Amino acid sequence: MQGQKNLQKIHQASKDGVGGSPLRPDGTLKVKGEFAYSSDLWHEDMLWGTALRSPHPRATILSVDVSEALAVPGVYAVLTHEDIPGEKYYGLEIADQPALAIDKVRYHGEAIALVAADHPETARRAVKKIRVEYEVLTPITTEEQCLDPETHGYVHEPHEYKSHAYGNVCHEQKLVSGLGVTDEVRALADVIVTGEYEVGMQDQAFLGPESGLAVPAEDGGVDLYVATQWLHVDRQQMAPVLDLPLEKVRLTLAGVGGAFGGREDLSMQIHACLLALRTGRPVKIVYARDESFFGHVHRHPARMRYEHGATRDGKLVFADCRIVLDGGAYASASPAVVGNAASLGHGPYVIPNVRMHAIALYSNNPSCGAMRGFGAVQAAFGYESQMDRLAEALGMDPVELRQLNAVTQGDRMPTGQEIDAPAPVAELLQRVKDMPLPPPLDPEHPDVRTLPGALSNTSHGEGIVRGVGYSVGIKNVGFSEGFDDYSTARVRLEVIGGEPVAMVHTAMAEVGQGGVTVHAQIARTELGVEQVTIHPANTEVGSAGSTSASRQTYMTGGAVKLAAEAVRHELLERGRHRYGWTRDDLSLAGGKVVSASAGVLIAIVDLLGDDAIEQTREHHHRPTVPFDKETGQGFGHVQYTFCANRAVVDVDVELGLVKVVELTAVQDVGKALNPLSVVGQIQGGCTQALGLAVMEEIVVKDGKVRNASFTDYLIPTILDTPPIPVQLLELPDPHAPYGLRGVGEAPTVSATPSIVAAIRQATGKALTRIPVRPEHLTDTL
Amino acid sequence: MRVTFSANGKPVEADDVWEGESLLYVLRERVGLPGSKNACEQGECGSCTVYLDGVPVCACLVAAGQVQGREVRTVEGLAGPDGELGVVQQAFVDAGAVQCGFCTPGLLVQTDALLAADPQPSDTDIREALSGNLCRCTGYEKIMDAVRLASARTCARGAEK
C-alpha cells in the first residue's frame, strides 16, 4: 500500500506545472535591478546613434547637407538614404516605408538622417547641424481630404502604391451577410438607432524606450541585441536593407520593457545596424520619450457610423456599419487591422442581416498599426454604444438586450464562420452583473483622494453623481485570414548535477506577458521534471511568430508542448528498446518513468544517462482563409475570445471630472495555465482600456503631434486606476493546446465601452467620442 | 568634471562628466548601476526613483554635479549584504507585481520609503504615495497586493521582535 501512496505522490501535478502559479523566472533579477533591458546594454568603444526627424508632416526635401554635422568632434558617421546599401523600403505587410526619407517626408517625426557619436549629447548636437531644405506642403489629414485626392493630393503617388491601394485608401474590406441592409430589411425592424462615433489616437506607451545595441561582426554581418516583439520578422525586413544574407543578421532578444503592439514594426533596428556597419564599432540607440512617440505606430483613430435595427422584443434585425481608420503615412499593419474591424465590428451578437465597410486611409498623420486589441477596440466602442442606445429606445435593460442577442457555440459570425468552441457571452454578462457592487460614496466623510479630481482637492463630495455601465467584447486570437501562423520550439532533456533538466529554446519575445513562466510550466508537466532552463530568445532557432494577437501561449506554448512530447516519446522508446517494456500506460512524473499499473520503472536520470535528448517542433494552428473582398465571407479566425465588464464611476458634473470607482471583469480563458499571470494580464488590459476611455490621446493638429511626452500624454496612474476584481471562466476550446484561450487583448477591447456607459448613466450625455474629456461633460467645447 | 559620491554605501567616482548629465545618466552609463530606469527622463514616470541622502527623488531630474559628496541608494542597494531580497522586493515577486518590470525599480524605492514612514498605510495612502510611479502592464492591482504583503510581513517581523 505504501507503494500506491508513493505513486499517488509522484503523480500529483507539480504546483509549478500547468495550472499552477509559479513565480517568474526573471522576477528576482528584475527586483534587484540586474535584469538587462535593451537600454541597459553597454559595450566597450560603443557609439551612440540618433536620428534627425522631420518637423513637417508633409514636405519635399530639396537638399540635405551633412558636412557641418560631420565636422563636429566626436562624430563618427552621418548617414542619409544615399548610404543605404540595399533596398530602401521595408514594411510589415507592404514595403512602403523608406528606412530614411527619400525626397519627401510624409509625417511629423519621420527619420531623415542618422548620426553616430561618442556621447548622446554630441549626437544630438550634431543632428541640429544637419541642414535640410524643405518645400513645405499642406498636409492631408482629414477623412474628407484623404478621400478627395484630386483636390488635396496623394500621400503616396499612385505609381508608388505597392499593394491594392487606391486614391488614399490603403486597404478596405466589405462584408455582406443575410440579405444585407436594404429598405426591405429596414422595414422588418420596429426600432432603428443610428450613431456616429469617434476614437482618438492612443499610444502603447510602453515604459522601456525603443533601444538596442548593434555590434559589427568579423564575417561582415551584424549582431543586434534588441527589444522587439518578433525577432525573425525584424530580420526579414532588415537584411535586404542592409544588403546582407539572413544568416549574417543575427538577433538576440534584450530585455523588453513592455510592447502592446508598438514594437511589432521596426524602429531603431536598421538605423543602429547601418551605423555599426559603417563605423565598424558597436552602436547603441536609445530613444528619448518624444522620439518614442515619433518612432512607433499608434492605435488607429477611427470614425464610425452604425445603424442597428431590432424588433420590439429586442431581437436584432440588421446592422449597417462603416468604419474609417486613419492609418497615417505608411501601411504597417493596417490591412490586418481593417480585416479585424470588418469581421469583429458587429460584436458578439447574432445579427441576421449585416452590411459592413471598413477602410484604412493613408494620410500625413502619424503611422498607425498594431496596438492591443488591434481593430476590435475601436469597433467595440461603436457597437456597445449602439447596444445601450437600442436598449434605451426599447426601454430594455442593457444587459438583458445583450444577452438576448449574444452569440453562443454553434452560431455563425457575419463572416459565415461557425463558432465551434464555447462562447459564453450571456453567462459572462450575467456573472459580471451578479458580482457585488462597491459601497456607495459616503457623502458625510469622503476621503478627497478617492473623489474625481483626487489630490487636486476639487470637491468634497458635492456635485458628484455615480453611474454604472456594462459591456462585452470579442477578439480573435492569433494571425488570421490565411496567414501561415506558426511557432518553433526546441526542448532538450539532459542530466545536470544528477538531476533531469529540461532546456526550452524558442525565439519568443518575452515582453512582460509571462511566456517564460508558462513555457517552464509546460515542460515540467510534459516531462515530469522540476528543473527547467529557458534559453535566451534568438534567431538560432526557428521563428516563434509575434508576441501579439494574444497568440504566444497558444502558439509557442503549443510548440513547447509538441517538442516536449517528442522528447518524452523518444525517452520512452529508448526504455522500451533497452528494457523490453511492452506496457502502453507509461508516463513521466516526479523525475521518474511511471506505469499506471506497475508503478515506478526507472528514474529519468538513469534512463537518460549521458545521452541527452533534443527535439524541435513547429506548431501551426489550423488553417484559415482570407475573407472574400466583397462579401467578407470566410473561415478567417482561429479562435475567438470574450470578456465582459462592469464599470462604476463617480462624475463631478460641475467640473467634468471622472473617477472610475471600480472596473470588474469576467473572462473565459479556456484554461488558466498560470492563474496569477492571467489575472494580471486582464487587470493590465482593463487599465489600458480605462486610459482610452477617459484620458489617453495623441493630439494631432494639422499633422503635428502636440503632446509627445509623459507630461502631456497621460496614462493612468495608480490613483486613476480603481480596484479591478476579476473572475475567470474556464471552458476549454477543443482546438487549442490544453483548451486555452488567448487572454491579453479581450479586456482592452471590452472595458472602454463600459466606462463610457457608466459616465453616460451618471450624466445623461450622449458621449460619442473617446477619450471623454471634461469639456464633453460640461458643454464647454 | 569629476563627481564623487557614495552609491549603495560604496564610494564612486565618475570622470569627464559633462555638466548637462543627470544623476541617472551617471549611474547608468558611468558607474555601472543601470537598475534605475530611463523611461521618460523628465520626472513624470518615477522609473528612476533613487534615495538621495535618504529622500526619494527622480534621478533624471538631478544634475550630476548636485550629488557631489552625497549619498545615493538605488534599487541595487535594496537587497541584503548577501544578495538576499529585501521585504519589499520579495513581496513584489510573490504578489505577481512584476510583469515587464521596467517600473519596478522605482516602485520598490518609493514603496520602501513609504513603509519606512508608515508601516501600515491604508489603500488610499498607498495610492497617494505611489501616484508618481507609472506602470503600463499590471493595472496596479498586484502592486497594491505587493505593498500590502510587504506591510504585513514588516509588521509581523516587528511583532516577533
Side-chain angles (χ1 to χ4, degrees):
Chain A
M1 289 320 284
Q2 189 61 36
Q4 273 302 323
K5 220 173 188 180
N6 281 344
L7 199 58
Q8 272 174 16
K9 201 172 167 194
I10 287 166
H11 270 296
Q12 247 171 24
S14 156
K15 70 178 173 32
D16 292 342
V18 165
S21 289
L23 302 177
R24 298 183 64 96
D26 54 10
T28 303
L29 282 179
K30 284 178 174 176
V31 296
K32 287 173 117 176
E34 291 172 1
F35 183 80
Y37 293 90
S38 54
S39 57
D40 299 338
L41 304 176
W42 189 89
H43 198 292
E44 212 174 339
D45 281 344
M46 77 180 185
L47 300 174
W48 290 79
T50 195
L52 168 71
R53 293 181 179 274
S54 169
H56 309 295
R58 187 178 180 216
T60 304
I61 298 173
L62 302 174
S63 67
V64 182
D65 180 359
V66 303
S67 54
E68 269 185 67
L70 260 178
V72 173
V75 168
Y76 286 76
V78 184
L79 308 181
T80 68
H81 76 89
E82 291 177 353
D83 301 296
I84 292 175
E87 297 286 336
K88 304 228 173 184
Y89 291 86
Y90 70 91
L92 268 183
E93 296 188 32
I94 304 168
D96 64 354
Q97 180 154 10
L100 290 168
I102 305 169
D103 302 333
K104 57 173 90 172
V105 287
R106 296 187 179 85
Y107 74 93
H108 179 203
E110 181 159 12
I112 298 170
L114 304 171
V115 172
D118 57 7
H119 190 285
E121 183 60 19
T122 314
R124 280 192 285 269
R125 289 181 178 191
V127 155
K128 293 205 172 110
K129 291 188 180 287
I130 300 172
R131 303 279 164 241
V132 184
E133 254 190 293
Y134 300 98
E135 183 194 346
V136 178
L137 303 170
T138 306
I140 305 161
T141 59
T142 66
E143 179 185 338
E144 291 70 27
Q145 289 169 343
C146 292
L147 292 177
D148 183 8
E150 297 292 316
T151 308
H152 300 283
Y154 292 89
V155 178
H156 299 264
E157 295 301 322
H159 69 269
E160 296 171 330
Y161 288 139
K162 295 176 181 179
S163 186
H164 306 294
Y166 66 91
N168 284 311
V169 176
C170 172
H171 191 79
E172 71 176 330
Q173 176 68 55
K174 293 176 184 170
L175 185 150
V176 184
S177 76
L179 302 170
V181 179
T182 60
D183 288 344
E184 288 76 24
V185 168
R186 279 200 177 84
L188 299 173
D190 298 315
V191 175
I192 293 176
V193 292
T194 58
E196 292 188 8
Y197 304 95
E198 212 176 310
V199 178
M201 185 186 291
Q202 191 181 17
D203 191 73
Q204 298 83 355
F206 42 75
L207 287 194
E210 286 94 337
S211 45
L213 178 70
V215 185
E218 280 182 7
D219 65 354
V222 62
D223 291 282
L224 179 67
Y225 303 84
V226 67
T228 179
Q229 286 175 241
W230 187 356
L231 292 164
H232 286 76
V233 87
D234 283 5
R235 174 163 79 160
Q236 204 177 318
Q237 295 174 89
M238 292 163 64
V241 180
L242 301 173
D243 198 26
L244 288 170
L246 280 181
E247 63 272 16
K248 287 198 174 181
V249 182
R250 292 164 295 258
L251 273 70
T252 300
L253 189 73
V256 186
F260 316 114
R263 297 186 206 267
E264 197 155 82
D265 295 67
L266 294 178
S267 57
M268 45 59 66
Q269 285 90 330
I270 290 176
H271 296 168
C273 292
L274 284 171
L275 289 169
L277 290 166
R278 171 63 75 94
T279 59
R281 287 176 58 170
V283 173
K284 170 167 161 172
I285 292 182
V286 180
Y287 282 181
R289 184 51 54 181
D290 61 341
E291 206 173 5
S292 177
F293 275 99
F294 290 123
H296 64 247
V297 300
H298 316 288
R299 185 188 306 289
H300 290 74
R303 282 172 72 174
M304 305 178 288
R305 187 182 181 283
Y306 275 91
E307 185 180 5
H308 280 84
T311 59
R312 204 167 311 284
D313 56 3
K315 274 283 190 188
L316 287 169
V317 173
F318 75 89
D320 194 9
C321 332
R322 176 180 164 81
I323 299 176
V324 180
L325 301 159
D326 185 346
Y330 299 105
S332 180
S334 285
V337 171
V338 168
N340 268 12
S343 59
L344 305 168
H346 326 83
Y349 302 113
V350 177
I351 312 177
N353 307 291
V354 169
R355 181 169 67 181
M356 160 69 81
H357 188 193
I359 63 175
L361 302 171
Y362 279 125
S363 73
N364 293 117
N365 291 319
S367 289
C368 291
M371 183 173 169
R372 197 175 199 167
F374 203 83
V377 164
Q378 297 89 332
F381 174 57
Y383 61 70
E384 286 299 87
S385 297
Q386 285 286 100
M387 287 306 117
D388 288 339
R389 223 171 245 209
L390 198 54
E392 196 182 341
L394 288 164
M396 278 183 80
D397 176 86
V399 173
E400 278 172 29
L401 174 75
R402 286 172 170 87
Q403 288 175 317
L404 183 66
N405 292 288
V407 293
T408 185
Q409 185 166 4
D411 284 334
R412 285 184 187 277
M413 293 290 287
T415 56
Q417 181 169 348
E418 185 188 330
I419 300 173
D420 56 6
V425 175
E427 186 180 349
L428 294 174
L429 282 161
Q430 193 58 45
R431 281 172 179 255
V432 86
K433 192 178 176 180
D434 290 346
M435 280 169 81
L437 280 162
L441 187 67
D442 174 2
E444 297 301 316
H445 308 286
D447 183 333
V448 292
R449 297 173 298 177
T450 65
L451 299 178
L455 293 174
S456 304
N457 199 22
T458 52
S459 166
H460 288 246
E462 66 280 9
I464 288 175
V465 184
R466 181 158 287 191
V468 181
Y470 293 89
S471 64
V472 63
I474 179 170
K475 176 69 183 56
N476 60 323
V477 172
F479 284 11
S480 300
E481 298 191 58
F483 190 89
D484 181 19
D485 194 9
Y486 74 95
S487 181
T488 317
R490 183 181 298 162
V491 172
R492 181 182 171 87
L493 185 64
E494 64 184 316
V495 178
I496 299 174
E499 291 282 320
V501 178
M503 193 272 290
V504 178
H505 187 181
T506 76
M508 179 205 67
E510 168 61 46
V511 303
Q513 85 279 18
V516 287
T517 323
V518 165
H519 291 175
Q521 293 177 259
I522 292 172
R524 279 188 203 109
T525 296
E526 299 301 328
L527 295 173
V529 301
E530 275 305 310
Q531 300 298 322
V532 182
T533 308
I534 303 294
H535 192 283
N538 58 26
T539 47
E540 285 171 17
V541 68
S543 176
S546 182
T547 302
S548 61
S550 302
R551 66 178 282 290
Q552 275 300 17
T553 302
Y554 191 126
M555 297 306 299
T556 304
V560 172
K561 181 170 187 275
L562 289 178
E565 284 168 350
V567 168
R568 184 178 68 211
H569 180 78
E570 189 179 331
L571 183 71
L572 293 177
E573 279 306 297
R574 187 182 288 181
R576 288 190 176 98
H577 184 75
R578 193 181 295 168
Y579 301 110
W581 297 335
T582 51
R583 301 169 186 284
D584 54 6
D585 63 351
L586 306 182
S587 61
L588 305 181
K592 299 181 170 63
V593 179
V594 181
S595 156
S597 51
V600 174
L601 298 184
I602 192 170
I604 290 174
V605 285
D606 295 328
L607 183 52
L608 204 53
D610 294 331
D611 196 5
I613 295 175
E614 184 174 290
Q615 291 285 351
T616 303
R617 287 292 182 278
E618 276 181 9
H619 179 221
H620 295 249
H621 60 58
R622 55 190 173 148
T624 58
V625 299
F627 299 120
D628 181 87
K629 280 285 117 202
E630 291 301 316
T631 66
Q633 298 299 296
F635 191 93
H637 295 310
V638 177
Q639 184 185 59
Y640 297 104
T641 176
F642 309 93
C643 182
N645 295 93
R646 181 187 66 205
V648 179
V649 302
D650 282 342
V651 183
D652 183 328
V653 292
E654 292 164 356
L655 296 172
L657 300 174
V658 175
K659 166 76 186 172
V660 183
V661 176
E662 188 186 79
L663 183 56
T664 308
V666 183
Q667 186 169 336
D668 175 19
V669 300
K671 162 79 181 169
L673 266 60
N674 184 317
L676 184 74
S677 298
V678 162
V679 170
Q681 283 288 307
I682 294 170
Q683 289 164 337
C686 285
T687 305
Q688 290 192 334
L690 184 158
L692 179 61
V694 295
M695 59 177 72
E696 288 186 41
E697 182 175 9
I698 296 184
V699 179
V700 184
K701 194 155 181 281
D702 300 325
K704 291 203 175 185
V705 177
R706 302 297 168 139
N707 57 343
S709 75
F710 277 173
T711 305
D712 298 314
Y713 182 90
L714 304 179
I715 72 174
T717 69
I718 197 168
L719 263 181
D720 302 312
T721 307
I724 307 175
V726 173
Q727 219 184 79
L728 301 181
L729 226 62
E730 297 187 69
L731 306 181
D733 179 342
H735 311 285
Y738 302 111
L740 69 84
R741 238 174 244 279
V743 170
E745 293 176 289
T748 303
V749 174
S750 59
T752 302
S754 69
I755 295 166
V756 182
I759 305 171
R760 282 193 197 109
Q761 211 223 16
T763 63
K765 303 281 180 193
L767 303 180
T768 57
R769 187 186 196 284
I770 47 174
V772 175
R773 298 194 174 286
E775 54 266 36
H776 299 145
L777 301 175
T778 53
D779 298 322
T780 48
L781 265 177
Chain B
M1 63 178 170
R2 167 178 292 186
V3 183
T4 56
F5 58 102
S6 149
N8 302 324
K10 291 181 194 139
V12 295
E13 188 173 290
D15 279 324
D16 300 324
V17 174
W18 169 64
E19 288 76 358
E21 282 175 21
S22 63
L23 169 60
L24 180 63
Y25 185 89
V26 169
L27 288 171
R28 291 175 50 76
E29 304 293 340
R30 294 191 181 276
V31 303
L33 291 172
S36 314
K37 295 300 169 225
N38 55 316
C40 76
E41 299 187 61
Q42 57 178 189
E44 294 289 352
C45 73
S47 305
C48 65
T49 306
V50 299
Y51 281 114
L52 179 58
D53 289 343
V55 178
V57 298
C58 285
C60 69
L61 294 183
V62 177
Q66 285 180 281
V67 298
Q68 178 62 39
R70 299 173 73 180
E71 274 183 30
V72 176
R73 190 168 164 227
T74 70
V75 66
E76 287 98 334
L78 292 185
D82 300 324
E84 77 275 12
L85 297 185
V87 175
V88 175
Q89 288 173 308
Q90 190 63 54
F92 268 65
V93 175
D94 292 344
V98 180
Q99 290 188 16
C100 94
F102 209 80
C103 65
T104 303
L107 276 163
L108 292 174
V109 174
Q110 198 66 53
T111 302
D112 192 74
L114 165 68
L115 294 182
D118 178 2
Q120 279 182 295
S122 69
D123 281 1
T124 312
D125 292 338
I126 298 171
R127 290 188 191 276
E128 182 177 0
L130 301 185
S131 61
N133 292 72
L134 296 177
C135 167
R136 190 56 159 169
C137 296
T138 62
Y140 300 106
E141 275 285 82
K142 304 221 174 289
I143 292 171
M144 293 296 296
D145 290 345
V147 180
R148 292 180 196 122
L149 182 61
S151 163
R153 285 178 179 169
T154 306
C155 293
R157 211 168 281 185
E160 274 171 28
K161 287 173 190 170

